[in-house]
Amino acid sequence: QVQLVESGGGLVQPGGSLRLSCAASVTIFSISTMGWYRQAPGKERELVAILRNLTTIGKTVFADGVKGRFTISRDNAKNTAYLQMNSLKPEDTAVYFCYAYYRGINFWGEGTLVTVSS
């Protein structure tokens, strides 16, 4: 079992920045894929950004709509992954979920709400 706890969501104005954190209950070096999805009201959950092959070489994948604005990183010592979101837009408003694929099982956090509004 892996527990994922997100933090860092909130209200931000368009053009602003937020950094989301995802703390894992296991060493993230042992997690093969870790990242972020989001779900806006009335829409399906969608990929935002993920890090693949954490145990070997990191490979980052971003959704087209966030490329150049969002970055994903990890701190192995803290077992925490981060999503840095810059130049936020109203359409980025959603609940953001941390995701981990560990030993053949998908794990999800409970989500953190990001609202981009003036």
Side-chain angles (χ1 to χ4, degrees):
Q1 288 288 336
V2 177
Q3 292 181 331
L4 304 171
V5 179
E6 304 101 334
S7 61
L11 173 64
V12 63
Q13 292 186 343
S17 297
L18 281 177
R19 188 178 77 159
L20 304 183
S21 301
C22 175
S25 61
V26 299
T27 174
I28 63 172
F29 196 74
S30 65
I31 299 175
S32 59
T33 301
M34 192 169 183
W36 298 88
Y37 283 70
R38 68 186 180 187
Q39 187 166 17
K43 296 187 177 181
E44 295 185 352
R45 192 173 296 189
E46 63 177 5
L47 169 74
V48 178
I50 58 172
L51 278 169
R52 287 180 173 159
N53 301 322
L54 291 176
T55 55
T56 54
I57 300 173
K59 181 179 180 181
T60 305
V61 177
F62 290 96
D64 288 342
V66 306
K67 287 180 181 177
R69 299 189 297 122
F70 291 10
T71 58
I72 187 170
S73 61
R74 67 184 189 267
D75 184 331
N76 291 340
K78 295 182 178 180
N79 294 327
T80 299
Y82 302 97
L83 182 69
Q84 178 66 44
M85 305 184 293
N86 299 325
S87 301
L88 283 162
K89 304 175 182 180
E91 51 263 44
D92 294 318
T93 295
V95 177
Y96 284 70
F97 296 91
C98 184
Y99 164 80
Y101 183 73
Y102 177 72
R103 295 184 179 179
I105 300 173
N106 297 318
F107 293 94
W108 296 92
E110 293 188 352
T112 185
L113 177 64
V114 172
T115 303
V116 184
S117 175
S118 55

